[in-house]
Coordinates of all heavy atoms in Angstrom, one line a residue:
M1244 N -33.1 83.5 165.3 CA -32.9 82.1 165.5 C -31.6 81.6 164.9 O -30.9 80.8 165.5 CB -34.1 81.4 164.8 CG -35.4 81.6 165.5 SD -35.6 81.0 167.1 CE -35.9 79.3 166.8
R1245 N -31.3 82.1 163.7 CA -30.1 81.7 163.0 C -28.8 82.2 163.8 O -27.9 81.5 164.0 CB -30.0 82.3 161.6 CG -28.9 81.7 160.7 CD -29.0 82.2 159.3 NE -30.2 81.8 158.7 CZ -30.8 82.4 157.8 NH1 -30.3 83.5 157.2 NH2 -32.0 82.0 157.3
E1246 N -28.9 83.5 164.2 CA -27.8 84.1 164.9 C -27.5 83.3 166.3 O -26.4 83.2 166.7 CB -28.0 85.5 165.2 CG -27.9 86.4 163.9 CD -28.3 87.8 164.1 OE1 -28.4 88.2 165.3 OE2 -28.4 88.5 163.1
G1247 N -28.6 82.9 166.8 CA -28.5 82.1 168.1 C -28.0 80.7 167.9 O -27.8 80.0 168.9
G1248 N -27.9 80.3 166.7 CA -27.4 78.9 166.4 C -28.4 77.8 166.4 O -28.2 76.7 166.4
Y1249 N -29.7 78.3 166.4 CA -30.8 77.3 166.4 C -31.1 76.8 165.0 O -31.7 75.8 164.8 CB -32.1 78.0 167.0 CG -31.9 78.3 168.4 CD1 -31.8 79.6 168.8 CD2 -31.9 77.3 169.4 CE1 -31.6 80.0 170.2 CE2 -31.7 77.7 170.8 CZ -31.6 79.0 171.1 OH -31.4 79.3 172.4
I1250 N -30.7 77.6 164.0 CA -30.9 77.2 162.6 C -29.6 77.0 162.0 O -28.8 78.0 161.9 CB -31.7 78.2 161.9 CG1 -33.1 78.3 162.5 CG2 -31.8 77.9 160.4 CD1 -34.0 79.4 161.9
D1251 N -29.3 75.9 161.4 CA -28.0 75.6 160.7 C -28.4 75.2 159.3 O -28.6 74.0 159.0 CB -27.3 74.5 161.5 CG -25.9 74.2 160.9 OD1 -25.6 74.7 159.8 OD2 -25.2 73.5 161.6
E1252 N -28.4 76.1 158.4 CA -28.8 75.9 157.0 C -27.9 74.8 156.4 O -28.4 74.0 155.6 CB -28.8 77.1 156.2 CG -30.0 78.0 156.4 CD -30.1 79.1 155.4 OE1 -29.2 79.3 154.6 OE2 -31.1 79.8 155.4
K1253 N -26.6 74.9 156.6 CA -25.7 73.9 156.0 C -26.1 72.5 156.4 O -26.2 71.6 155.6 CB -24.2 74.2 156.4 CG -23.2 73.3 155.7 CD -21.8 73.7 156.0 CE -20.9 72.9 155.2 NZ -19.9 72.2 155.9
W1254 N -26.3 72.3 157.7 CA -26.7 71.0 158.2 C -28.1 70.6 157.5 O -28.2 69.4 157.1 CB -26.8 71.0 159.7 CG -27.3 69.6 160.2 CD1 -26.4 68.6 160.5 CD2 -28.6 69.2 160.4 NE1 -27.2 67.5 161.0 CE2 -28.5 67.8 160.9 CE3 -29.8 69.7 160.3 CZ2 -29.6 67.1 161.2 CZ3 -31.0 69.0 160.6 CH2 -30.8 67.7 161.1
Q1255 N -29.0 71.5 157.5 CA -30.3 71.2 156.9 C -30.2 70.8 155.4 O -30.8 69.8 155.0 CB -31.2 72.4 157.0 CG -31.7 72.7 158.4 CD -32.5 74.0 158.4 OE1 -32.5 74.8 157.5 NE2 -33.2 74.2 159.5
I1256 N -29.4 71.5 154.7 CA -29.2 71.2 153.2 C -28.5 69.8 153.1 O -28.9 69.0 152.3 CB -28.3 72.3 152.5 CG1 -29.1 73.6 152.4 CG2 -27.9 71.8 151.2 CD1 -28.3 74.8 152.0
E1257 N -27.5 69.6 153.9 CA -26.8 68.3 153.9 C -27.8 67.1 154.2 O -27.7 66.0 153.7 CB -25.6 68.3 154.8 CG -24.5 69.1 154.3 CD -23.3 69.3 155.3 OE1 -23.4 68.8 156.4 OE2 -22.3 70.0 154.9
S1258 N -28.7 67.4 155.2 CA -29.7 66.4 155.5 C -30.6 66.1 154.4 O -30.9 64.9 154.0 CB -30.5 66.8 156.7 OG -31.4 65.9 157.1
Y1259 N -31.1 67.1 153.7 CA -31.9 66.9 152.5 C -31.1 66.2 151.4 O -31.7 65.3 150.8 CB -32.3 68.3 151.9 CG -33.6 68.8 152.5 CD1 -33.6 70.1 153.2 CD2 -34.8 68.2 152.4 CE1 -34.7 70.6 153.7 CE2 -36.0 68.7 153.0 CZ -35.9 69.9 153.6 OH -37.1 70.4 154.2
L1260 N -29.8 66.5 151.3 CA -29.0 65.9 150.2 C -28.9 64.4 150.5 O -29.1 63.6 149.5 CB -27.6 66.5 150.2 CG -27.5 67.9 149.5 CD1 -26.1 68.4 149.6 CD2 -28.0 67.8 148.1
R1261 N -28.7 64.0 151.7 CA -28.6 62.6 152.0 C -29.8 61.8 151.6 O -29.8 60.8 151.0 CB -28.3 62.3 153.5 CG -26.9 62.5 153.9 CD -26.6 62.1 155.3 NE -27.4 62.9 156.3 CZ -27.0 64.1 156.8 NH1 -25.9 64.6 156.3 NH2 -27.7 64.7 157.7
T1262 N -31.0 62.4 151.9 CA -32.2 61.8 151.6 C -32.5 61.8 150.1 O -32.8 60.7 149.5 CB -33.4 62.5 152.3 OG1 -33.2 62.4 153.7 CG2 -34.7 61.8 151.9
L1263 N -32.3 62.9 149.4 CA -32.6 63.0 148.0 C -31.6 62.2 147.2 O -32.0 61.5 146.2 CB -32.5 64.5 147.6 CG -33.6 65.4 148.1 CD1 -33.2 66.8 147.9 CD2 -34.9 65.0 147.6
V1264 N -30.3 62.1 147.5 CA -29.4 61.4 146.7 C -29.4 59.9 147.1 O -29.6 59.0 146.2 CB -27.9 61.9 146.9 CG1 -26.9 61.1 146.2 CG2 -27.9 63.4 146.4
E1265 N -29.3 59.5 148.3 CA -29.1 58.1 148.7 C -30.5 57.4 148.7 O -30.5 56.2 148.3 CB -28.5 58.0 150.1 CG -27.1 58.7 150.1 CD -26.1 58.1 149.1 OE1 -26.2 56.9 148.8 OE2 -25.3 58.9 148.6
K1266 N -31.5 58.0 149.1 CA -32.8 57.2 149.2 C -33.7 57.4 147.9 O -34.2 56.5 147.4 CB -33.6 57.7 150.4 CG -33.1 57.2 151.7 CD -34.0 57.5 152.8 CE -33.5 56.9 154.1 NZ -34.5 57.1 155.2
N1267 N -33.8 58.7 147.5 CA -34.6 59.0 146.3 C -33.9 58.9 145.0 O -34.6 59.0 144.0 CB -35.3 60.4 146.5 CG -36.1 60.5 147.7 OD1 -36.4 59.5 148.4 ND2 -36.6 61.6 148.0
L1268 N -32.6 58.7 145.0 CA -31.8 58.6 143.8 C -31.9 59.8 142.9 O -32.1 59.6 141.7 CB -32.1 57.3 143.1 CG -31.9 56.0 143.9 CD1 -32.4 54.8 143.1 CD2 -30.5 55.8 144.4
C1269 N -31.9 61.0 143.4 CA -32.1 62.2 142.7 C -30.7 62.7 142.2 O -29.7 62.6 143.0 CB -32.8 63.3 143.5 SG -34.5 63.0 143.8
G1270 N -30.6 63.3 141.1 CA -29.4 64.0 140.6 C -29.5 65.5 140.9 O -30.5 66.0 141.3
R1271 N -28.4 66.1 140.5 CA -28.3 67.6 140.7 C -29.5 68.4 140.1 O -30.0 69.3 140.7 CB -27.0 68.1 140.2 CG -26.7 69.5 140.4 CD -25.4 70.0 139.7 NE -24.3 69.4 140.3 CZ -23.5 70.0 141.2 NH1 -23.8 71.2 141.6 NH2 -22.4 69.4 141.7
R1272 N -29.9 67.9 138.9 CA -30.9 68.6 138.2 C -32.3 68.7 138.9 O -33.1 69.6 138.7 CB -31.1 68.0 136.8 CG -31.8 68.9 135.8 CD -31.8 68.2 134.4 NE -33.1 67.5 134.4 CZ -33.3 66.5 133.5 NH1 -32.4 66.2 132.6 NH2 -34.5 65.9 133.5
K1273 N -32.5 67.7 139.7 CA -33.8 67.7 140.5 C -33.6 68.2 141.9 O -34.5 68.8 142.5 CB -34.3 66.2 140.6 CG -34.9 65.7 139.3 CD -35.5 64.4 139.4 CE -36.1 63.9 138.1 NZ -36.7 62.7 138.2
I1274 N -32.4 68.1 142.4 CA -32.1 68.5 143.8 C -32.1 70.1 143.9 O -32.8 70.6 144.8 CB -30.7 68.0 144.3 CG1 -30.7 66.5 144.4 CG2 -30.3 68.7 145.6 CD1 -29.4 65.9 144.7
V1275 N -31.5 70.7 143.0 CA -31.4 72.2 143.1 C -32.7 72.9 143.1 O -33.0 73.7 144.0 CB -30.4 72.8 142.1 CG1 -30.4 74.3 142.1 CG2 -29.0 72.2 142.3
P1276 N -33.6 72.6 142.2 CA -34.9 73.3 142.2 C -35.7 72.9 143.4 O -36.4 73.8 144.0 CB -35.6 72.8 140.9 CG -34.6 72.2 140.1 CD -33.4 71.8 140.9
Y1277 N -35.6 71.7 143.9 CA -36.3 71.2 145.1 C -35.9 72.1 146.3 O -36.8 72.5 147.0 CB -36.1 69.8 145.3 CG -36.8 69.2 146.5 CD1 -38.1 68.8 146.5 CD2 -36.1 69.1 147.8 CE1 -38.7 68.3 147.6 CE2 -36.7 68.6 148.9 CZ -38.1 68.2 148.8 OH -38.7 67.7 149.9
L1278 N -34.6 72.3 146.5 CA -34.1 73.0 147.6 C -34.3 74.5 147.5 O -34.5 75.2 148.5 CB -32.7 72.6 147.9 CG -32.5 71.2 148.4 CD1 -31.0 70.9 148.6 CD2 -33.3 70.9 149.7
L1279 N -34.3 75.0 146.2 CA -34.6 76.4 146.0 C -36.0 76.8 146.5 O -36.2 77.8 147.1 CB -34.5 76.8 144.5 CG -33.0 76.9 144.0 CD1 -33.0 77.1 142.5 CD2 -32.3 78.1 144.7
V1280 N -37.0 75.9 146.2 CA -38.3 76.1 146.6 C -38.4 76.1 148.2 O -39.3 76.8 148.7 CB -39.3 75.0 146.0 CG1 -40.6 75.1 146.6 CG2 -39.4 75.2 144.5
K1281 N -37.6 75.4 148.8 CA -37.5 75.3 150.3 C -36.9 76.6 150.9 O -37.0 76.8 152.1 CB -36.7 74.1 150.8 CG -37.3 72.8 150.4 CD -38.4 72.4 151.3 CE -38.8 71.0 151.0 NZ -40.1 70.7 151.6
G1282 N -36.3 77.5 150.0 CA -35.8 78.7 150.5 C -34.3 78.8 150.6 O -33.8 79.9 151.1
Y1283 N -33.6 77.8 150.2 CA -32.1 77.8 150.3 C -31.6 78.5 149.1 O -32.1 78.4 148.0 CB -31.6 76.4 150.5 CG -32.1 75.7 151.7 CD1 -33.1 74.7 151.6 CD2 -31.7 76.1 153.0 CE1 -33.6 74.1 152.8 CE2 -32.2 75.5 154.1 CZ -33.1 74.5 154.0 OH -33.6 73.9 155.1
S1284 N -30.4 79.1 149.2 CA -29.8 79.8 148.1 C -29.1 78.8 147.2 O -28.6 77.8 147.7 CB -28.8 80.9 148.6 OG -27.6 80.2 149.1
A1285 N -29.1 79.1 145.9 CA -28.4 78.3 144.9 C -26.9 78.1 145.3 O -26.4 77.0 145.1 CB -28.6 78.8 143.5
A1286 N -26.3 79.1 145.7 CA -24.9 79.1 146.1 C -24.6 78.1 147.2 O -23.7 77.3 147.1 CB -24.4 80.5 146.5
K1287 N -25.5 78.1 148.2 CA -25.3 77.2 149.4 C -25.6 75.8 149.0 O -25.0 74.8 149.4 CB -26.2 77.6 150.5 CG -25.6 78.9 151.2 CD -26.5 79.2 152.4 CE -25.9 80.5 153.1 NZ -26.7 80.8 154.3
I1288 N -26.6 75.6 148.1 CA -27.0 74.3 147.7 C -25.9 73.7 146.8 O -25.4 72.5 147.1 CB -28.3 74.3 146.8 CG1 -29.5 74.8 147.6 CG2 -28.6 72.9 146.2 CD1 -30.7 75.2 146.8
N1289 N -25.4 74.4 145.9 CA -24.3 73.9 145.0 C -23.0 73.7 145.8 O -22.3 72.7 145.5 CB -24.1 74.9 143.8 CG -25.2 74.8 142.8 OD1 -25.6 73.7 142.4 ND2 -25.7 75.9 142.4
A1290 N -22.7 74.5 146.7 CA -21.5 74.3 147.6 C -21.6 73.0 148.3 O -20.7 72.2 148.4 CB -21.3 75.5 148.5
A1291 N -22.8 72.7 148.9 CA -23.0 71.5 149.7 C -22.9 70.3 148.8 O -22.3 69.3 149.2 CB -24.3 71.5 150.4
I1292 N -23.5 70.4 147.6 CA -23.4 69.2 146.7 C -22.0 69.0 146.3 O -21.5 67.8 146.3 CB -24.3 69.5 145.4 CG1 -25.8 69.5 145.8 CG2 -24.0 68.5 144.3 CD1 -26.7 70.0 144.6
D1293 N -21.2 70.0 145.9 CA -19.9 69.9 145.5 C -19.0 69.3 146.6 O -18.1 68.5 146.4 CB -19.3 71.2 145.0 CG -19.9 71.6 143.7 OD1 -20.5 70.8 143.0 OD2 -19.8 72.8 143.4
E1294 N -19.3 69.7 147.9 CA -18.5 69.2 149.0 C -18.8 67.7 149.3 O -17.9 67.0 149.7 CB -18.9 70.1 150.2 CG -18.1 69.7 151.5 CD -18.5 70.6 152.7 OE1 -18.7 71.8 152.5 OE2 -18.7 70.0 153.8
K1295 N -20.0 67.3 149.2 CA -20.4 66.0 149.6 C -20.4 64.9 148.5 O -20.3 63.7 148.7 CB -21.8 66.0 150.2 CG -21.9 66.8 151.5 CD -21.1 66.2 152.6 CE -21.2 67.0 153.8 NZ -20.4 66.4 154.9
Y1296 N -20.7 65.3 147.2 CA -20.8 64.3 146.1 C -20.0 64.7 144.9 O -19.9 65.8 144.5 CB -22.3 64.3 145.7 CG -23.2 63.8 146.8 CD1 -23.9 64.7 147.6 CD2 -23.3 62.4 147.1 CE1 -24.7 64.2 148.7 CE2 -24.1 62.0 148.2 CZ -24.8 62.9 149.0 OH -25.5 62.4 150.0
S1297 N -19.4 63.6 144.3 CA -18.6 63.8 143.1 C -19.4 63.4 141.9 O -20.5 62.9 142.0 CB -17.4 62.9 143.2 OG -17.8 61.5 143.2
D1298 N -18.9 63.6 140.7 CA -19.5 63.2 139.5 C -19.7 61.7 139.5 O -20.7 61.2 139.0 CB -18.7 63.6 138.3 CG -18.8 65.1 138.1 OD1 -19.7 65.8 138.6 OD2 -17.9 65.7 137.4
E1299 N -18.7 61.0 140.1 CA -18.8 59.5 140.2 C -20.0 59.1 141.0 O -20.7 58.1 140.7 CB -17.5 58.9 140.7 CG -16.4 59.0 139.8 CD -15.1 58.5 140.4 OE1 -15.1 57.9 141.5 OE2 -14.0 58.7 139.8
D1300 N -20.2 59.8 142.1 CA -21.4 59.5 143.0 C -22.7 59.7 142.2 O -23.6 58.8 142.3 CB -21.4 60.4 144.2 CG -20.3 60.2 145.1 OD1 -19.9 59.0 145.3 OD2 -19.8 61.2 145.7
F1301 N -22.8 60.7 141.4 CA -24.0 61.0 140.6 C -24.2 60.0 139.5 O -25.3 59.6 139.1 CB -24.1 62.4 140.1 CG -24.5 63.4 141.2 CD1 -23.7 64.4 141.7 CD2 -25.8 63.3 141.8 CE1 -24.0 65.3 142.7 CE2 -26.2 64.1 142.8 CZ -25.3 65.1 143.2
S1302 N -23.0 59.5 138.9 CA -23.1 58.4 137.9 C -23.6 57.2 138.5 O -24.5 56.5 137.9 CB -21.7 58.2 137.3 OG -21.3 59.3 136.5
R1303 N -23.2 56.8 139.7 CA -23.7 55.6 140.4 C -25.2 55.8 140.7 O -26.0 54.8 140.5 CB -22.9 55.5 141.8 CG -23.5 54.3 142.6 CD -22.8 54.3 144.0 NE -22.8 55.5 144.7 CZ -23.9 56.0 145.4 NH1 -25.0 55.3 145.5 NH2 -23.8 57.1 146.1
V1304 N -25.6 56.9 141.2 CA -27.0 57.2 141.5 C -27.8 57.0 140.2 O -28.9 56.5 140.2 CB -27.2 58.6 142.1 CG1 -28.7 59.0 142.2 CG2 -26.6 58.6 143.5
K1305 N -27.3 57.6 139.1 CA -28.0 57.5 137.8 C -28.2 56.0 137.4 O -29.3 55.6 137.0 CB -27.3 58.2 136.8 CG -27.9 58.2 135.4 CD -27.0 59.0 134.4 CE -27.6 58.9 133.0 NZ -26.7 59.6 132.0
R1306 N -27.2 55.2 137.5 CA -27.3 53.8 137.2 C -28.3 53.1 138.1 O -29.1 52.3 137.6 CB -25.9 53.1 137.4 CG -24.9 53.4 136.2 CD -23.7 52.6 136.3 NE -23.0 52.6 137.5 CZ -22.1 53.5 137.9 NH1 -21.7 54.4 137.0 NH2 -21.5 53.5 139.0
E1307 N -28.2 53.4 139.4 CA -29.2 52.7 140.4 C -30.6 53.1 140.0 O -31.5 52.3 140.1 CB -28.8 53.1 141.8 CG -27.6 52.5 142.3 CD -27.2 52.9 143.7 OE1 -28.2 53.4 144.5 OE2 -26.1 52.9 144.1
F1308 N -30.8 54.4 139.7 CA -32.1 54.9 139.4 C -32.7 54.2 138.1 O -33.8 53.7 138.1 CB -32.1 56.4 139.1 CG -33.4 57.0 138.6 CD1 -34.5 57.2 139.5 CD2 -33.6 57.2 137.3 CE1 -35.7 57.7 139.1 CE2 -34.8 57.7 136.8 CZ -35.9 58.0 137.7
L1309 N -31.9 54.1 137.1 CA -32.3 53.5 135.8 C -32.6 52.0 136.1 O -33.6 51.5 135.6 CB -31.3 53.6 134.7 CG -31.2 55.0 134.2 CD1 -30.0 55.1 133.2 CD2 -32.4 55.5 133.5
L1310 N -31.8 51.3 136.8 CA -32.0 49.9 137.1 C -33.3 49.7 137.9 O -34.1 48.8 137.7 CB -30.8 49.3 137.8 CG -29.6 49.0 137.0 CD1 -28.4 48.6 137.8 CD2 -29.9 48.0 135.9
K1311 N -33.5 50.6 138.9 CA -34.7 50.5 139.7 C -36.0 50.8 138.9 O -37.0 50.1 139.1 CB -34.6 51.5 140.9 CG -35.7 51.4 141.9 CD -35.5 52.4 143.0 CE -36.7 52.4 144.0 NZ -36.5 53.4 145.0
K1312 N -36.0 51.8 138.1 CA -37.2 52.2 137.4 C -37.4 51.4 136.2 O -38.6 51.1 135.9 CB -37.1 53.7 137.1 CG -38.3 54.3 136.4 CD -38.4 55.7 136.5 CE -39.7 56.3 135.9 NZ -40.8 56.2 136.7
F1313 N -36.4 51.1 135.4 CA -36.5 50.4 134.1 C -36.0 49.0 134.1 O -36.2 48.3 133.1 CB -35.9 51.3 133.0 CG -36.5 52.6 132.8 CD1 -35.9 53.7 133.4 CD2 -37.7 52.8 132.1 CE1 -36.5 55.0 133.3 CE2 -38.3 54.0 132.0 CZ -37.7 55.2 132.6
G1314 N -35.2 48.6 135.0 CA -34.6 47.3 135.0 C -33.4 47.1 134.1 O -33.0 46.0 133.9
K1315 N -33.0 48.2 133.5 CA -31.8 48.2 132.6 C -31.2 49.6 132.5 O -31.8 50.6 132.9 CB -32.3 47.6 131.2 CG -33.4 48.4 130.6 CD -33.9 47.7 129.3 CE -35.2 48.2 128.9 NZ -35.7 47.5 127.8
L1316 N -30.0 49.6 131.9 CA -29.3 50.9 131.8 C -29.4 51.5 130.4 O -29.3 52.7 130.2 CB -27.8 50.7 132.1 CG -27.5 50.2 133.5 CD1 -26.0 49.9 133.6 CD2 -27.9 51.3 134.5
K1317 N -29.7 50.6 129.4 CA -29.8 51.1 128.0 C -31.2 50.8 127.4 O -31.7 49.7 127.6 CB -28.7 50.4 127.1 CG -27.3 50.6 127.7 CD -26.4 51.1 126.6 CE -25.1 51.2 127.2 NZ -24.3 52.4 126.8
P1318 N -31.7 51.8 126.7 CA -33.1 51.6 126.1 C -33.0 50.7 124.9 O -32.0 50.6 124.2 CB -33.5 53.0 125.7 CG -32.2 53.7 125.4 CD -31.2 53.1 126.4
D1319 N -34.1 50.0 124.6 CA -34.2 49.2 123.4 C -34.9 49.8 122.2 O -34.7 49.4 121.1 CB -35.0 47.9 123.8 CG -34.2 47.0 124.8 OD1 -33.0 47.0 124.7 OD2 -34.9 46.3 125.6
T1320 N -35.7 50.8 122.6 CA -36.5 51.5 121.5 C -36.3 53.0 121.7 O -35.9 53.5 122.7 CB -38.0 51.2 121.6 OG1 -38.5 51.7 122.8 CG2 -38.2 49.7 121.5
H1321 N -36.7 53.8 120.6 CA -36.6 55.2 120.7 C -37.6 55.8 121.8 O -37.3 56.7 122.5 CB -37.0 55.8 119.3 CG -37.0 57.3 119.3 ND1 -35.8 58.1 119.5 CD2 -38.0 58.2 119.2 CE1 -36.1 59.3 119.5 NE2 -37.4 59.5 119.3
T1322 N -38.8 55.2 121.9 CA -39.7 55.6 122.9 C -39.2 55.4 124.3 O -39.4 56.2 125.1 CB -41.1 54.8 122.7 OG1 -41.5 55.0 121.4 CG2 -42.1 55.2 123.7
E1323 N -38.6 54.2 124.5 CA -38.0 53.9 125.8 C -36.9 54.9 126.1 O -36.7 55.3 127.2 CB -37.5 52.5 125.8 CG -37.3 51.9 127.1 CD -37.0 50.4 127.0 OE1 -35.9 50.1 126.5 OE2 -37.8 49.6 127.5
A1324 N -36.1 55.2 125.1 CA -35.0 56.2 125.3 C -35.6 57.5 125.7 O -35.0 58.2 126.6 CB -34.2 56.4 124.0
E1325 N -36.7 58.0 125.1 CA -37.3 59.2 125.5 C -37.8 59.2 127.0 O -37.7 60.1 127.7 CB -38.4 59.6 124.5 CG -37.9 60.0 123.2 CD -37.1 61.2 123.2 OE1 -37.4 62.2 123.9 OE2 -36.0 61.2 122.5
E1326 N -38.4 58.0 127.3 CA -38.9 57.9 128.7 C -37.8 57.9 129.7 O -37.9 58.5 130.8 CB -39.7 56.5 128.8 CG -41.0 56.5 128.1 CD -41.6 55.1 128.2 OE1 -41.2 54.3 129.0 OE2 -42.6 54.9 127.4
M1327 N -36.7 57.3 129.4 CA -35.5 57.3 130.3 C -35.0 58.7 130.4 O -34.7 59.1 131.5 CB -34.4 56.3 129.8 CG -34.8 54.9 130.0 SD -33.5 53.8 129.3 CE -33.4 52.5 130.5
K1328 N -34.9 59.4 129.3 CA -34.3 60.7 129.3 C -35.2 61.6 130.1 O -34.7 62.4 131.0 CB -34.2 61.2 127.9 CG -33.6 62.6 127.8 CD -33.5 63.0 126.3 CE -32.9 64.4 126.1 NZ -32.8 64.8 124.7
K1329 N -36.5 61.5 130.0 CA -37.5 62.3 130.7 C -37.4 62.0 132.2 O -37.5 62.9 133.0 CB -38.9 62.1 130.2 CG -39.9 63.0 130.8 CD -41.3 62.7 130.1 CE -42.3 63.6 130.8 NZ -43.7 63.3 130.2
A1330 N -37.2 60.8 132.6 CA -37.2 60.4 134.0 C -36.0 60.9 134.7 O -36.0 61.2 135.9 CB -37.2 58.9 134.1
L1331 N -34.9 61.0 133.9 CA -33.6 61.6 134.5 C -33.7 63.1 134.7 O -33.1 63.6 135.5 CB -32.4 61.2 133.6 CG -32.1 59.7 133.6 CD1 -31.0 59.4 132.6 CD2 -31.6 59.3 135.0

């Protein structure tokens, strides 16, 4: 199937990346294991991430995630800091 051009892993990975990064607000730490379980190689996953997203993109996603989940970027208590760290 792959040799016949019916399976395009790069396109599949990029499609997952769009959903995971833009909709689900996931960072690299959550993306890589998720796609490894799907059967993609770490090298192909990391290459696609590096090609499509910069550190600035992931910083933006991190800010959006924290604002969406906690309503703020900085914790007020030690417990809240631990919760934020665990969520990321």
Side-chain angles (χ1 to χ4, degrees):
M1244 295 292 280
R1245 188 175 304 150
E1246 290 173 10
Y1249 296 106
I1250 297 174
D1251 184 348
E1252 281 190 354
K1253 185 176 186 233
W1254 180 87
Q1255 291 174 342
I1256 292 170
E1257 289 172 357
S1258 179
Y1259 274 119
L1260 286 177
R1261 280 189 298 278
T1262 300
L1263 293 169
V1264 174
E1265 301 302 327
K1266 287 187 176 184
N1267 298 354
L1268 303 175
C1269 291
R1271 183 184 293 262
R1272 201 175 89 197
K1273 289 186 179 182
I1274 292 169
V1275 174
Y1277 178 83
L1278 292 177
L1279 285 172
V1280 170
K1281 298 278 186 197
Y1283 300 105
S1284 74
K1287 288 183 181 182
I1288 296 166
N1289 286 313
I1292 291 171
D1293 292 340
E1294 183 180 315
K1295 297 291 181 185
Y1296 296 99
S1297 68
D1298 289 339
E1299 289 176 9
D1300 293 324
F1301 283 116
S1302 291
R1303 175 188 52 81
V1304 167
K1305 180 181 174 181
R1306 285 190 305 274
E1307 288 178 24
F1308 174 80
L1309 289 172
L1310 287 171
K1311 181 179 177 182
K1312 184 158 179 86
F1313 297 99
K1315 56 187 164 185
L1316 297 175
K1317 304 231 181 219
D1319 294 328
T1320 66
H1321 178 69
T1322 303
E1323 199 172 66
E1325 290 297 316
E1326 289 175 14
M1327 288 177 141
K1328 184 177 177 182
K1329 186 177 176 182
L1331 291 172

